[in-house]
Amino acid sequence: MTTTQQSPDPPPRPGRGRGHGNGSGPGHGHGHGHSHSHGPAAPVSKHLRRVIAAVLIPFAAAVVVGLVVLWPGGAPAHTRTGVGFDRQTQQATVTRVTEVSCTSVNASGGAPADATPAAPGSAGPARPSGTCKKATVRVGTGKDKGRTFTEIVQPDQPRQFHQGEKLVVAYEPSAPRDLQYSVSDVDRRFPMALLAGIFALAVVVVGRLRGVMALVALAISFLVLELFILPAVLQGSNPLVVAVVGASAIMLIALYLCHGLSARTSVAVLGTLISLVLIGVLGSLFIGWAALTGNTDDNTGLIHGLYPSIDMSGLLLAGVIIGSLGVLDDVTVTQTSAVWELHEANPAMGWRGLYRAGIRIGRDHIASVVNTLVLAYAGAALPLLLLFSIAQSSVGTVANSELVAEEIVRTLVGSIGLVASVPVTTALAALVVSADRAGASAAPGPGATGPAAPAAPLAPTRGKRGRRRKR
């Protein structure tokens, strides 16, 4: 009996030694497979890596070719209209604020003190009453640096100036000298830069190296948007093609930079790609079917006026694709990681079991992500919804308005893509990890035949030894 009890003891020791050693022994594959609670996932077999590479390498090559062919080389120049954002601006500072009587000034900054007020019942504008503020503003940048002008602020205006406040001023060279400068906005660069710094610090402190890589990927995404997508659309390229190429480049760079060059990341890339294709097809179909022009506000109207060749409905579809990409990355990476961890926890689980377990996790993710997406769009359109509420419009009237219909189509198409990404990515991940396990057991590597055989009954053997010791 003594010999029987002690004979199973030696196998666990070499197994543990192989798991934590240099990995050069023949049992390295098994030992490494059970030590992932504190390390990266094991690489998949060479066969699966070849299959994944056969799909992704041509796709990545096509993205590179698309970037080269569509690269704009900068946004085209145009003559400024002086309307909206298409104005010359400079930085300025409020140097002095004094109180003046509103009866002596008007909204343009001044009026004759002896002007006769409008007669009661006449159509003439009523002059403001009360105490207004007269702000002296000094231009701080540009060729007119040091030049000052005055701005009259009425008491009912939402923006009230104070001394030392930083402003953005608009410059119109064709206007009379006294009217060339006017206050356009408040200079918010410092608080926004401070908030961005706090965000970056939080990401690095919590995410460490992954956080740093995420910030680098975020910067690259903005560069692709600024240097490629926007100028290419302005140059007259098809917005949909530009969005697909640009979004694919952002996806490849961000996912592989943040999560590493691995089969797990590649599965997430494939799931994201399939979902983006679905979003593009549905978006193109329903934007055309609903006759959405994409020209619904002053900004889009200005763009269409400056660049009539831009396809505004295509620009709307491009926005749907790019806007959905960020949330898709989150869903596909999470689902892939969940399936991989389930496989690490129970290597004997088949692909159907992995899929069922992963899809249960995905259902919770779907519920939260879709709700987040809908509320994000509703929050952005809240002033518009308030206007419809004030007008006591019916739900059907509100939904039929092109302004709201755009957001509805954008939200629903993106949400369908998100919902579809969960089963697609989960199935891909389950097939990859289960096929890798089956392939590894059927065709083990050189020198792995002997030690690999007792790997499966190792756990039951320990259980039997434990029961004998209890006796």
Side-chain angles (χ1 to χ4, degrees):
M1 286 297 295
T2 304
T3 305
T4 305
Q5 290 176 351
Q6 293 180 354
S7 58
D9 287 343
R13 294 190 183 104
R16 287 193 296 269
R18 287 189 296 269
H20 295 278
N22 56 15
S24 58
H28 170 63
H30 173 74
H32 185 67
H34 291 278
S35 60
H36 293 301
S37 58
H38 51 77
V44 299
S45 63
K46 289 183 178 180
H47 174 70
L48 277 179
R49 288 202 298 269
R50 291 193 189 101
V51 172
I52 295 173
V55 176
L56 289 181
I57 289 180
F59 169 67
V63 171
V64 173
V65 171
L67 288 172
V68 173
V69 172
L70 298 174
W71 191 263
H78 72 279
T79 303
R80 290 188 179 271
T81 62
V83 178
F85 290 103
D86 193 34
R87 295 181 290 181
Q88 299 183 40
T89 59
Q90 302 293 344
Q91 307 301 316
T93 306
V94 178
T95 58
R96 185 183 178 187
V97 178
T98 57
E99 293 185 350
V100 295
S101 174
C102 290
T103 58
S104 62
V105 295
N106 57 24
S108 298
D114 57 351
T116 304
S122 65
R127 180 168 296 168
S129 61
T131 302
C132 295
K133 291 182 179 179
K134 181 179 179 181
T136 302
V137 182
R138 184 180 68 240
V139 179
T141 58
K143 63 183 183 63
D144 291 330
K145 182 178 180 180
R147 179 175 166 182
T148 61
F149 66 97
T150 59
E151 187 84 8
I152 302 301
V153 183
Q154 298 183 18
D156 58 346
Q157 289 184 358
R159 182 180 296 154
Q160 300 291 321
F161 300 144
H162 61 268
Q163 187 171 344
E165 187 173 12
K166 302 295 183 181
L167 302 175
V168 177
V169 295
Y171 174 63
E172 178 51 59
S174 62
R177 179 175 174 82
D178 293 343
L179 301 176
Q180 285 181 337
Y181 283 96
S182 62
V183 176
S184 172
D185 208 342
V186 175
D187 187 356
R188 305 180 180 89
R189 291 180 301 174
F190 178 74
M192 292 181 67
L194 180 61
L195 182 60
I198 296 173
F199 163 73
L201 180 63
V203 171
V204 172
V205 168
V206 177
R208 299 186 180 180
L209 182 59
R210 288 289 182 90
V212 174
M213 291 295 101
L215 292 177
V216 173
L218 180 62
I220 294 175
S221 299
F222 274 109
L223 287 176
V224 173
L225 187 66
E226 180 72 20
L227 300 179
F228 172 71
I229 295 178
L230 300 181
V233 171
L234 292 177
Q235 290 281 12
S237 299
N238 187 299
L240 177 57
V241 176
V242 171
V244 169
V245 173
S248 299
I250 291 174
M251 174 185 66
L252 291 172
I253 294 171
L255 287 179
Y256 283 117
L257 189 61
C258 293
H259 304 285
L261 191 64
S262 64
R264 178 189 296 190
T265 308
S266 298
V267 171
V269 169
L270 288 174
T272 305
L273 178 60
I274 295 172
S275 303
L276 281 178
V277 170
L278 177 61
I279 289 174
V281 172
L282 288 177
S284 179
L285 174 63
F286 282 94
I287 286 175
W289 195 359
L292 299 177
T293 63
N295 190 2
T296 54
D297 57 23
D298 294 339
N299 294 326
T300 54
L302 178 59
I303 293 172
H304 185 65
L306 292 174
Y307 300 95
S309 61
I310 294 179
D311 180 10
M312 299 305 295
S313 61
L315 189 63
L316 173 62
L317 179 56
V320 172
I321 293 174
I322 295 174
S324 302
L325 177 61
V327 190
L328 273 177
D329 287 351
D330 175 43
V331 173
T332 55
V333 169
T334 300
Q335 286 304 115
T336 305
S337 298
V339 172
W340 241 263
E341 293 303 324
L342 288 168
H343 172 68
E344 294 297 321
N346 186 3
M349 187 182 297
W351 79 267
R352 288 185 178 85
L354 289 172
Y355 177 80
R356 286 194 294 267
I359 208 68
R360 286 195 294 269
I361 299 173
R363 290 191 185 105
D364 293 335
H365 207 180
I366 286 173
S368 61
V369 168
V370 170
N371 192 48
T372 300
L373 192 63
V374 171
L375 291 180
Y377 284 128
L382 196 57
L384 177 64
L385 297 179
L386 282 176
L387 289 177
F388 281 109
S389 178
I390 292 171
Q392 297 182 350
S393 302
S394 65
V395 176
T397 302
V398 172
N400 190 65
S401 168
E402 185 170 2
L403 274 172
V404 178
E406 277 190 5
E407 301 303 327
I408 293 175
V409 171
R410 192 196 311 269
T411 302
L412 295 181
V413 167
S415 298
I416 291 172
L418 288 175
V419 171
S421 69
V422 171
V424 168
T425 308
T426 305
L428 285 173
L431 288 172
V432 166
V433 294
S434 60
D436 183 58
R437 179 181 61 82
S441 61
T449 305
L458 186 58
T461 304
R462 290 178 180 173
K464 292 178 182 178
R465 185 176 69 246
R467 286 194 296 271
R468 289 172 181 173
R469 285 179 177 175
K470 286 180 181 179
R471 293 174 188 172

